[in-house]
Amino acid sequence: MLKIEHVTKKFGDFTAVNQLSLQVNKGEVFGIVGANGAGKTTTFRMILGLLDPTDGTITWNGEKINYETSGIIGYLPEERGLYPKLTVQEQLLYFARLRGMKKQEILPKIDYWLDRFHITQYKHKKAGELSKGNQQKVQFIYSVLHEPELLILDEPFSGLDPINVELLKSAVAEVNAKGTTILFSSHRMEHVEEMCKQIAMFKEGKAIEKGKIREIKQKYGKKVVALYTEENLTFLQDRKGILSYEKTPYGVRIKLQKEEDSQEIVKEAMKKGFIRKFELEEPTLNEIFIQKVGEVRD
Amino acid sequence: MTKFWIVLWHTYKKHLTSKAFIISTIITMLLIFVMTNVGTFFSKSEQEKNKEIGIVTQSSKIEDYVKTEVKEEKKKIHITTYSTEKEAKKQIQKGKIQAYIVLNQDNQAFLTGVYKANDMSEQSLLFELERVFQNVKQKEAIHQLHVDPKTFDQINKPFVLKKETLVKTSHSDKQIKQSLVVVMGTLFLIYATVVFYGNMIATEVASEKSSRVMEVLVSSVPATQQMFGKIFGLALLGITQYAFFFLSGSYSAFAHLDALKEVPASTFVYGVIFFTLGYFLYATILAMFGSLVSRIEDVYQIISPINIVLIIGFALSIAAFVDPTSKAIAVLSYVPFFAPMLMFLRVSLVTIPFWQIALCIGILIASIGVFAYLGAKVYRGGVLIYGKASFANIAKAIKLLKKDAK
C-alpha cells in the first residue's frame, strides 16, 4: 500500500505540493489528474525518493522508497527517452540490470514484450531509427520489464495515436492483473475514467478532489440534460440557472446549476415542440475537472 | 556497488564500440606509428645509395684528403675527381653526378670551394659537405703551416664545463635533461586527456539529459554511483586508447629506451599520481557542469570556464620550465586546478621536501572529495532541471534537493 501523509514540498517561496495525503491500495490503478504545474510530477519524484518532501512522509508497505527498493518500482517519467545509438535490446538490458535483474532473466521478458507490442523486428535496431510511437512502446517496456510492485506512469499516453493508446491501455491492464499497483497521471480524462476506480484531482499542489470516480460524480449530481430533438431551443441559452448550452448532432446538451431545474427545463422545451427523448446525465470527469480547475488545458 | 559497475561497463562498452572512437583511435595509431618511425624510414632509404659528387681539382693531395675524410667519417657520398670544370659539367648533364665542387687553393684561406648543382634544395647534403671540407681545409692548413697535428688537436679540444650539484638528493644535469622530456610529455598528456576525456564526460552527461533517459537512470541508480560509474568508465576507455597508442609507438619507443634511463623512477610514479588526481579533479567538475545543461550544444558554453582554467594551468607550467624554482610557481602549485601540472613539474625538476608533495596530494584528494560531494549534489538536482543552461542552475539544483528551502 502506498501511503502519502501530509506531504508538502516547497521550492523557495513556491509551494509545489501542499499538505497532500493519499492512499493507494495494493493492486489498484490510481489516476492523478491536474493541469500543468499542479504538482503531479513533483509528487511522483517524491514517491521515488528523487526529491525529499519538505514535510510529511511517503511509504510503500510501511517503508520509505529508496535505491535499495528501486528494484520493485517501475517509473515512466514524463521527460523520457532512449539512447539513440543503442539497439532496443541493449538499452532494455541496461535499464533492467540497473533495476537489479540478471541478464538471463531479462532476455525472455524482452522477447515477450516486444512481441506483445508487435515490434520484435526492431530488437536489434538502433532506437534512433524507430518511429516515435515505437520508441514510446520501448519506453513503456523499460518501466515494466522487471515486474515492479509499484508502477508510476507520468503521462503515459501523451503523443500516442489512438491505436497505440489502446495497445498501451491493454498492456497496463495486463500488468495490473498480475498484481502491480499502478499510479498514473494524465491530462486526458477519458483515459483516467476508463482505467481507474480511484482518482485524485490536483490543483496548485492540493488534492482538491479525491476518491472513487463514482462517488465524485454522484457528488456533482446529474446536472446535464440531453434533449433529443430537431427543434430550435436557443431561447434556453439565456434562461436563469443554465451554465452552458451545446448543440449536438442529436439535439442539445444543457448544463445546469442545480439538478432540480431539470424538470422545469424539459417542460419548457416540450412546449416549443416535439422532444423525442430526454436524459439526465452525470457530468464527465472532464466537465468536473474544468469546473474545479477552472481552465481548459491539455 | 554493483550498479556502479553496470554503469561503468555500460559507459565503457558504448564508447569502445562507437564508430567515432574506433576511427579516431586507428587514425591516431597510424599517425603515431608514422611519426615515430619517420626517421628510420628515411635513413633506411638513404642508406641504399651513395650521393654522387664530383670535385674539380688538380691537386692529388687534396683529392686524397677528401676521399680519406669521406671514408673515415663514413659519409654516404661517393667522390669522383675531374681535372676540368667542363668535364664535371658534362657528367651533370649525363646525370652521373648530382653536384660538383670547384676547389681552389689560396694562401689566405688555404682552400675555398664553389658548389655547383642544378638543385640546391638538399640542405642536409650541403651540411655534410661543409663538414667534410672544413676538415680537409684544416688538414691542408696544418700541412702548410707545419703544425704538429697533436698540438692542433690539443688546441682544438672543446672547453669542458663539468656540473656538480651540491645538494645530495638533487637531480643531476643529465637527469634533468632526460626528465624534461618525460615531464613535458606527461604535462601534455594531462592537458590533452582532460580536454578530450573531461569534455567527453560533460557531453556524456548532457546527452543523457538531452535524450531524456536521465530521469529513468536517476530513479534506479544513485547519482553518485552514476556519476562515478561514468568517470571511471571513461577512464578505462582512456587507458584502453592510450594502450593502443603506446602499442603503435612501442617499436620506436623501445629503440630509444636508453634515452630515458637516467630519469628517476620517482618521476614516473609521481607522473602517474598527478595524472590520476588531475583527471579525477577535472572529471568530477565537468560531470557536475554537464548535468546543468539539457542540450549538447550548450555543453561547450558551460564548460568553457573550466577549459580556460586548464589552459592557464598549462601555460603556467610552460612558464615554469624556464624557472621551476620561482616562488610564484611554488605557491600556485598548491592551487588544486594547477597542482597536477605544476607540482609534478616541481617534483621532477626541483628538489623539494617530501611534506610539500604530501601536502599538495592531500589538497588534491580533499578537493576531489569536495567536488565529488558537491558534484553529486548538483548532479542529482541538475538532472531534473530542463531548460536554459546557466550557472544559476547550480544554486537551483542544490535548492531543489533541500528539504526545506526556506
Side-chain angles (χ1 to χ4, degrees):
Chain A
M1 184 171 66
L2 179 72
K3 227 176 180 175
I4 300 175
E5 289 170 295
H6 309 293
V7 165
T8 298
K9 178 68 190 176
K10 286 183 180 171
F11 298 118
D13 293 329
F14 177 67
T15 306
V17 175
N18 194 356
Q19 284 294 321
L20 179 72
S21 292
L22 280 182
Q23 195 171 309
V24 181
N25 294 320
K26 203 172 178 304
E28 212 169 10
V29 183
F30 194 98
I32 291 183
V33 295
N36 295 323
K40 292 170 290 175
T41 300
T42 304
T43 304
F44 289 159
R45 285 175 173 175
M46 283 192 288
I47 294 171
L48 293 161
L50 297 180
L51 295 174
D52 292 323
T54 310
D55 221 344
T57 54
I58 300 174
T59 53
W60 170 250
N61 294 336
E63 279 176 45
K64 255 196 96 175
I65 293 170
N66 54 31
Y67 286 113
E68 264 88 78
T69 51
S70 81
I72 58 170
I73 311 293
Y75 179 40
L76 185 65
E78 191 178 5
E79 295 284 2
R80 53 184 178 255
L82 299 168
Y83 288 104
K85 285 184 181 158
L86 290 190
T87 67
V88 169
Q89 176 165 288
E90 278 167 348
Q91 38 206 322
L92 288 175
L93 261 174
Y94 180 51
F95 288 125
R97 289 182 68 204
L98 289 178
R99 291 278 183 200
M101 282 178 83
K102 299 242 153 38
K103 192 177 172 180
Q104 299 89 314
E105 309 171 304
I106 308 165
L107 289 174
K109 295 214 163 89
I110 289 178
D111 290 340
Y112 170 78
W113 278 107
L114 291 180
D115 183 51
R116 175 81 171 69
F117 282 119
H118 320 300
I119 49 172
T120 306
Q121 67 272 32
Y122 301 124
K123 191 168 153 186
H124 300 295
K125 271 255 162 66
K126 284 183 182 165
E129 296 166 11
L130 265 58
S131 71
K132 201 174 168 235
N134 285 333
Q135 286 189 20
Q136 282 189 294
K137 291 176 190 169
V138 178
Q139 289 157 5
F140 176 78
I141 295 174
Y142 69 51
S143 67
V144 296
L145 205 53
H146 54 295
E147 294 178 356
E149 289 178 23
L150 174 65
L151 175 62
I152 294 176
L153 306 169
D154 200 352
E155 301 288 347
F157 304 113
S158 66
L160 281 179
D161 66 44
I163 297 165
N164 284 327
V165 167
E166 286 312 311
L167 203 58
L168 201 59
K169 271 190 208 160
S170 73
V172 172
E174 180 187 321
V175 172
N176 178 241
K178 283 183 188 158
T180 298
T181 308
I182 296 168
L183 186 60
F184 88 99
S185 76
S186 183
H187 295 306
R188 306 291 297 269
M189 301 305 147
E190 69 269 27
H191 297 153
V192 179
E193 220 167 337
E194 201 176 323
M195 292 175 64
C196 355
K197 286 201 184 79
Q198 300 235 39
I199 60 153
M201 205 175 271
F202 279 32
K203 186 190 180 183
E204 287 160 9
K206 279 187 189 160
I208 48 169
E209 204 59 81
K210 63 184 173 190
K212 293 204 169 80
I213 293 180
R214 278 244 63 76
E215 287 163 9
I216 291 173
K217 282 189 169 179
Q218 271 164 19
K219 210 170 87 188
Y220 279 81
K222 296 182 174 175
K223 291 181 184 170
V224 176
V225 186
L227 297 165
Y228 292 69
T229 180
E230 268 77 54
E231 295 299 328
N232 182 2
L233 298 175
T234 40
F235 74 97
L236 283 171
Q237 262 176 319
D238 305 320
R239 192 192 182 279
K240 246 178 70 184
I242 288 190
L243 289 175
S244 77
Y245 176 94
E246 186 190 342
K247 259 197 99 57
T248 61
Y250 53 80
V252 292
R253 203 161 173 275
I254 299 165
K255 249 181 265 173
L256 309 170
Q257 237 158 19
K258 281 180 282 177
E259 197 176 339
E260 300 89 78
D261 286 349
S262 59
Q263 300 308 309
E264 272 304 311
I265 285 168
V266 173
K267 273 182 203 160
E268 283 168 36
M270 281 166 78
K271 278 180 202 156
K272 260 287 179 189
F274 183 67
I275 307 289
R276 272 186 284 126
K277 175 179 158 191
F278 75 88
E279 236 170 19
L280 272 182
E281 287 180 358
E282 276 184 338
T284 61
L285 209 49
N286 210 26
E287 282 160 343
I288 297 175
F289 180 77
I290 289 168
Q291 191 189 331
K292 286 294 273 187
V293 175
E295 50 190 329
V296 190
R297 282 198 187 153
D298 197 56
Chain B
M1 210 50 193
T2 45
K3 285 180 184 174
F4 164 81
W5 290 107
I6 296 171
V7 175
L8 188 155
W9 186 243
H10 169 81
T11 311
Y12 177 68
K13 218 176 106 191
K14 195 176 78 181
H15 286 277
L16 192 71
T17 52
S18 83
K19 262 187 213 133
F21 178 82
I22 294 171
I23 292 170
S24 69
T25 306
I26 290 175
I27 289 176
T28 318
M29 278 176 77
L30 284 174
L31 219 67
I32 290 175
F33 186 75
V34 172
M35 297 273 271
T36 51
N37 293 299
V38 72
T40 332
F41 288 143
F42 275 113
S43 52
K44 259 189 191 146
S45 65
E46 276 173 8
Q47 254 170 18
E48 288 157 13
K49 238 175 144 189
N50 284 340
K51 305 264 185 224
E52 290 293 339
I53 302 293
I55 52 170
V56 180
T57 180
Q58 274 87 33
S59 159
S60 60
K61 185 180 66 186
I62 297 292
E63 180 192 354
D64 212 38
Y65 282 160
V66 175
K67 286 190 170 164
T68 327
E69 186 62 30
V70 168
K71 206 172 161 191
E72 272 176 6
E73 295 292 314
K74 291 181 182 149
K75 301 279 184 207
K76 301 276 172 294
I77 296 168
H78 182 251
I79 299 288
T80 321
T81 317
Y82 304 98
S83 44
T84 62
E85 195 182 337
K86 212 172 154 191
E87 212 177 319
K89 223 176 211 167
K90 220 185 250 167
Q91 295 304 315
I92 287 219
Q93 277 155 4
K94 279 188 191 164
K96 288 267 165 73
I97 54 172
Q98 65 177 87
Y100 63 86
I101 296 164
V102 183
L103 293 169
N104 289 308
Q105 275 174 286
D106 115 24
N107 286 335
Q108 282 291 309
F110 303 105
L111 188 69
T112 58
V114 183
Y115 178 85
K116 295 191 179 182
N118 291 332
D119 177 15
M120 289 289 169
S121 64
E122 221 170 314
Q123 289 297 320
S124 64
L125 175 67
L126 276 168
F127 182 68
E128 300 256 289
L129 287 171
E130 263 166 8
R131 277 175 57 178
V132 168
F133 285 99
Q134 171 69 26
N135 289 342
V136 171
K137 191 209 102 173
Q138 268 173 20
K139 269 191 192 166
E140 177 62 12
I142 291 166
H143 179 75
Q144 279 187 30
L145 297 173
H146 306 292
V147 182
D148 178 20
K150 265 186 194 159
T151 317
F152 179 79
D153 275 351
Q154 275 173 340
I155 296 169
N156 209 25
K157 239 181 206 163
F159 169 72
V160 180
L161 183 69
K162 270 197 178 171
K163 295 141 202 154
E164 280 178 12
T165 40
L166 294 172
V167 192
K168 235 186 186 168
T169 54
S170 186
H171 309 275
S172 75
D173 182 56
K174 208 171 175 190
Q175 274 182 340
I176 286 189
K177 258 190 203 151
Q178 297 193 354
S179 290
L180 271 177
V181 179
V182 177
V183 173
M184 256 189 227
T186 312
L187 287 181
F188 182 72
L189 205 64
I190 292 177
Y191 176 75
T193 308
V194 172
V195 166
F196 190 68
Y197 278 93
N199 290 1
M200 209 153 143
I201 288 171
T203 314
E204 166 85 12
V205 176
S207 76
E208 283 186 347
K209 271 186 81 179
S210 81
S211 66
R212 301 290 195 263
V213 285
M214 191 51 105
E215 204 167 334
V216 185
L217 293 178
V218 284
S219 71
S220 31
V221 195
T224 335
Q225 283 185 31
Q226 202 189 124
M227 191 170 106
F228 281 103
K230 284 193 179 73
I231 290 174
F232 277 91
L234 287 179
L236 192 63
L237 185 77
I239 291 169
T240 313
Q241 192 173 43
Y242 289 163
F244 276 113
F245 290 171
F246 181 75
L247 211 68
S248 64
S250 60
Y251 174 71
S252 162
F254 282 115
H256 299 101
L257 211 58
D258 52 330
L260 297 177
K261 75 176 176 227
E262 287 286 326
V263 180
S266 66
T267 300
F268 290 105
V269 174
Y270 284 126
V272 171
I273 291 174
F274 283 108
F275 178 85
T276 313
L277 292 175
Y279 170 78
F280 281 108
L281 178 73
Y282 278 99
T284 322
I285 298 170
L286 287 166
M288 173 173 94
F289 279 14
S291 75
L292 295 174
V293 300
S294 26
R295 294 184 311 160
I296 295 174
E297 302 91 276
D298 294 336
V299 170
Y300 293 100
Q301 186 197 333
I302 201 140
I303 65 175
S304 59
I306 289 296
N307 283 342
I308 288 169
V309 170
L310 184 69
I311 290 167
I312 293 172
F314 192 57
L316 279 173
S317 60
I318 287 171
F321 269 113
V322 182
D323 183 11
T325 53
S326 134
K327 269 249 164 65
I329 294 298
V331 172
L332 286 170
S333 69
Y334 293 102
V335 177
F337 297 111
F338 308 139
M341 293 184 187
L342 292 185
M343 189 50 94
F344 171 61
L345 184 136
R346 288 183 63 214
V347 166
S348 314
L349 304 181
V350 189
T351 308
I352 53 174
F354 181 71
W355 68 264
Q356 288 193 4
I357 307 169
L359 177 67
C360 181
I361 292 177
I363 290 175
L364 269 174
I365 292 174
S367 33
I368 291 172
V370 168
F371 280 113
Y373 175 76
L374 196 71
K377 254 195 133 121
V378 172
Y379 191 96
R380 227 185 110 196
V383 294
L384 298 178
I385 299 175
Y386 286 95
K388 234 183 121 236
S390 108
F391 287 106
N393 282 352
I394 295 181
K396 222 162 129 193
I398 293 173
K399 211 161 99 181
L400 197 67
L401 295 180
K402 265 196 186 158
K403 268 193 105 171
D404 188 5
K406 257 283 120 181

